[in-house]
Amino acid sequence: AASAFTRGCLCVQVELGPEVVQPTLSTGPAYQFPDAALSFLEGVGGSDRLMFPSDGKTWRTTGPDLFHQHAPDPSDEVLGSGDGNWTYDSNGNWMLATFRIGGVGSEQLVGFTHVENHHWNCSGPYAEWNAAAVVRSSDDGRSWIRDGLAVGDPQPCKPAFGGAGYSSVLRMSESNAESNGGGIAWRGWGGCYGYVSTDETGAAGSWRRYFNGSFSQPGVGGEQSCLPGLGMNIAAPIVHWNSFLARYVMLTSYWGHNQQIWLYTSKDGVGWSLPQLLVNSSTHAEIAYGQVIGPNSSHEAGQDATLVYAASPATVKGAHRDFITRSIHFITSADELEIA
């Protein structure tokens, strides 16, 4: 049965620094900012940082921090479309989140991707069918193998825009252990929907969907309903765990409101607060993919972090979107949220 949920007062205060347009990568994605969440994590041993920018294809870059990434290594994409016209990823893999399995010295990675198929058995107009998948690497992201679908709906015969899948994934850890009920190892979010996996490596086939109060439906082919506090206007939410707030923090755009980024918070990743308008731009025609990134990863941040988002039209020559970064300072503490 659905548990009672009260949407609390949103009392998160933040300070944002000025916009900075980051220079484009010398090679790699056509878009300066990825067409999805930005995957950023510590390298082997923690000495450098890896980034996996994606636009249907995924590249691998390395550098000392978010602002000083080198040209892609290797020079070609490390993950692309599946073979043939009828695979779930025949029109691309977008790397959304990447995690190291087995400790800081391990080269074993698991990645969570948005995938698309634009091919149809019946004739009709152009359309895209979306899903979410799992990929794995044993060489620190230089090459990947496909594990399979995590979330997806049956593709119809006639062309239609649709499907299901996550746009953001987090691994449960000691820092967010309070939200780890029922042995949940991973949480994902896409639109207003929620997904979980109890498998330690987030394997394909292990994911389940939130439906009417519990994660009771299979990830592939199951039913789903919106998480408490979220509505159908949510577009491509990106979530991080904020250790200063002791909360999940979701940034999202709303469909049809292309100059805004909204912020939600949650104690458990299921029930979400009232929204707060974080960015309301008058200088860009469109902003998208708002995300908070910490110094070590795109999965966790503290009181001071970096806000990133895509902005168009681009001002950087050769880019389709500008890569905007801003400092973000969270003022409200976790204790203050508890008594609000």
Side-chain angles (χ1 to χ4, degrees), residues 122-134:
C122 300
S123 60
Y126 173 84
E128 303 170 359
W129 199 252
N130 304 304
V134 182

Side-chain angles (χ1 to χ4, degrees), residues 152-208:
D153 288 334
Q155 186 169 339
C157 181
K158 294 183 178 181
F161 283 88
Y166 42 63
S167 56
S168 181
V169 173
L170 289 182
R171 175 167 54 188
M172 301 299 97
S173 64
E174 291 181 3
S175 60
N176 53 25
E178 289 185 7
S179 65
N180 190 18
I184 292 171
W186 304 86
R187 291 189 182 274
W189 300 266
C192 65
Y193 306 112
Y195 310 95
V196 298
S197 169
T198 57
D199 182 80
E200 289 186 0
T201 63
S206 70
W207 287 81
R208 303 193 69 79

Side-chain angles (χ1 to χ4, degrees), residues 145-160:
I145 59 172
R146 292 161 173 79
D147 192 38
L149 275 179
V151 180
D153 288 334
Q155 186 169 339
C157 181
K158 294 183 178 181

Side-chain angles (χ1 to χ4, degrees), residues 92-149:
N93 269 277
W94 286 253
M95 187 73 77
L96 305 173
T98 314
F99 298 84
R100 195 167 301 282
I101 303 295
V104 294
S106 171
E107 292 196 345
Q108 303 289 324
L109 300 178
V110 58
F112 300 96
T113 66
H114 166 84
V115 295
E116 295 184 8
N117 185 354
H118 305 170
H119 301 276
W120 307 86
N121 286 321
C122 300
S123 60
Y126 173 84
E128 303 170 359
W129 199 252
N130 304 304
V134 182
V135 294
R136 301 190 183 278
S137 173
S138 59
D139 56 6
D140 204 34
R142 294 176 178 83
S143 63
W144 295 85
I145 59 172
R146 292 161 173 79
D147 192 38
L149 275 179

Side-chain angles (χ1 to χ4, degrees), residues 7 13 33 74 87 96 149 162 190 194 213 236 256 260 288 325 331:
R7 299 180 73 183
Q13 294 181 320
F33 192 92
T87 58
L96 305 173
L149 275 179
Q260 299 175 344
T325 64
I331 300 172

